[in-house]
């Protein structure tokens, strides 16, 4: 990972007002292809940040950098005041051990486009797997919590079903319950409705609305502009690996300042 010239001297945590996520000049390249070109963002505790933009703009890559599924090429990214994936000493970065990175990730839930459920496990088995294996939660307690979450996402009768027996919308709601089972402080959603039939989108967005009302901090990569306008506290428009425009959903959607933002929104908002 590339080093920067001016950095703090030690591994002290970053305290930036009420921010839960702090991205500072985040860059990511795959070979010669620079996908992220210096992202600076802050996500406050309890905030719902929606990230929109054309395909290939770097939205999903940024999301994967937040929980260190992708290693940064340059820059810094903090979650809960901790530098993600690295320890910094006297201006130099040292990558954390896999076990340390896993511990950091355990506080971040992520829901993907494709549901990524374990096909050989029941719905209940999918939800209790991480709490029992990673957090060593007693199975009885994990099961109790799983049933509470299934009720919350509207699937209390599906505990013993297998993923192949569920609709896409049901599988995505199980995926959300599975992420919540780790009791994360941050939830990341990578276009959670893009793989769903149109009639199934609403049931997933309803669960996400409920999470937002409950104060969950969320970063949502989405094409659902109605959801962004209704639920989002902030809206970020990305293009070509950079943040082009950011503000409240009303500001960005109703009165975009940049021509590139206007051109994109003219195609996605009817």
């Amino acid at each position: 990972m590339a080093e920067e010239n001016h950095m703090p001297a030690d591994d002290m945590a970053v305290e930036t007002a009420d921010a839960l996520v702090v991205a500072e000049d985040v860059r990511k390249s795959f070979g010669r292809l620079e996908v992220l070109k210096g992202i600076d963002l802050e996500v406050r505790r309890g905030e719902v940040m929606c990230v929109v933009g054309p395909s290939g703009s770097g939205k999903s890559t940024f999301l994967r950098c937040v929980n260190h599924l992708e290693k940064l090429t340059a820059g810094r990214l903090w979650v809960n005041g901790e530098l993600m994936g690295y320890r910094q000493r006297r201006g130099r970065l040292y990558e954390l051990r896999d076990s340390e990175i896993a511990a950091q990730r355990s506080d971040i839930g992520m829901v993907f486009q494709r549901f990524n459920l374990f096909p050989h496990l029941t719905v209940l088995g999918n939800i209790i797997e991480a709490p029992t294996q990673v957090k060593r939660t007693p199975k009885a307690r994990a099961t109790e919590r799983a049933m509470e979450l299934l009720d919350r996402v509207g699937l209390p009768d599906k505990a013993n079903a297998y993923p192949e027996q569920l609709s896409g919308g049901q599988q995505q709601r199980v995926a959300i319950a599975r992420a919540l089972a780790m009791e994360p402080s941050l939830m990341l959603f990578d276009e959670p409705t893009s793989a769903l039939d149109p009639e199934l989108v609403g049931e997933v967005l309803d669960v996400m609305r409920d999470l937002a009302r409950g104060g969950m901090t969320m970063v949502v990569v989405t094409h659902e502009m109605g959801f962004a306008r209704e639920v989002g506290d902030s809206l970020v428009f990305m293009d070509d690996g950079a943040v082009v425009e950011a503000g409240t959903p009303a500001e960005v959607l109703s009165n975009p300042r940049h021509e590139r933002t206007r051109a994109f929104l003219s195609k996605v908002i009817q």
Side-chain angles (χ1 to χ4, degrees):
M1 177 166 173
E3 297 296 335
E4 296 176 349
N5 294 325
H6 304 288
M7 293 177 284
D10 56 25
D11 197 21
M12 62 191 303
V14 167
E15 296 292 341
T16 307
D18 209 21
L20 181 66
V21 180
V22 179
E24 181 181 286
D25 194 30
V26 168
R27 297 174 182 271
K28 175 63 181 179
S29 296
F30 296 97
R32 295 183 178 181
L33 177 63
E34 189 177 24
V35 177
L36 298 179
K37 302 177 180 179
I39 304 296
D40 294 296
L41 285 176
E42 291 188 5
V43 184
R44 302 185 313 275
R45 296 180 190 278
E47 178 181 354
V48 178
M49 175 181 283
C50 294
V51 183
V52 303
S55 297
S57 59
K59 308 182 302 296
S60 296
T61 299
F62 174 72
L63 213 62
R64 292 172 65 85
C65 286
V66 172
N67 62 2
H68 204 65
L69 286 175
E70 296 289 354
K71 299 178 183 180
L72 306 189
T73 303
R76 302 289 185 273
L77 213 159
W78 291 266
V79 176
N80 261 332
E82 290 190 10
L83 185 62
M84 284 299 298
Y86 296 92
R87 181 175 292 107
Q88 185 169 286
R89 294 290 185 187
R90 297 175 181 174
R92 293 186 63 83
L93 291 180
Y94 302 90
E95 190 163 14
L96 298 178
R97 296 189 298 270
D98 288 346
S99 60
E100 294 173 305
I101 295 171
Q104 288 185 325
R105 284 194 190 125
S106 69
D107 196 38
I108 305 172
M110 187 161 186
V111 178
F112 300 86
Q113 296 178 40
R114 296 289 175 176
F115 326 117
N116 289 4
L117 299 177
F118 299 117
H120 63 290
L121 296 178
T122 64
V123 165
L124 180 61
N126 268 277
I127 297 173
I128 69 173
E129 178 74 7
T132 56
Q133 298 301 315
V134 177
K135 287 195 168 182
R136 303 300 179 188
T137 304
K139 186 175 181 179
R141 171 60 190 137
T143 299
E144 179 183 4
R145 173 65 174 155
M147 294 308 298
E148 292 171 356
L149 290 169
L150 282 175
D151 187 59
R152 184 174 183 180
V153 301
L155 297 171
D157 58 336
K158 299 297 184 181
N160 295 317
Y162 285 87
E164 65 178 10
Q165 298 172 308
L166 305 178
S167 70
Q170 290 172 332
Q171 289 187 61
Q172 194 63 294
R173 284 186 280 161
V174 172
I176 294 172
R178 181 176 64 176
L180 292 173
M182 292 293 283
E183 300 183 350
S185 62
L186 171 67
M187 285 286 288
L188 308 176
F189 292 87
D190 187 7
E191 300 192 31
T193 61
S194 64
L196 301 178
D197 292 333
E199 64 268 23
L200 301 178
V201 168
E203 61 190 46
V204 174
L205 294 182
D206 284 344
V207 173
M208 295 171 65
R209 288 187 184 95
D210 180 66
L211 290 179
R213 285 192 293 266
M216 174 63 71
T217 308
M218 298 159 60
V219 182
V220 185
V221 171
T222 184
H223 290 298
E224 299 291 339
M225 298 301 165
F227 174 85
R229 185 187 294 274
E230 174 192 352
V231 180
D233 298 299
S234 59
L235 183 67
V236 172
F237 172 64
M238 288 182 62
D239 186 41
D240 194 28
V243 172
V244 175
E245 189 162 351
T248 67
E251 291 169 344
V252 178
L253 295 178
S254 300
N255 189 30
R257 300 187 305 274
H258 294 269
E259 176 57 36
R260 183 66 189 93
T261 314
R262 290 192 289 270
F264 172 76
L265 293 177
S266 69
K267 296 177 181 178
V268 299
I269 297 179
Q270 303 301 321

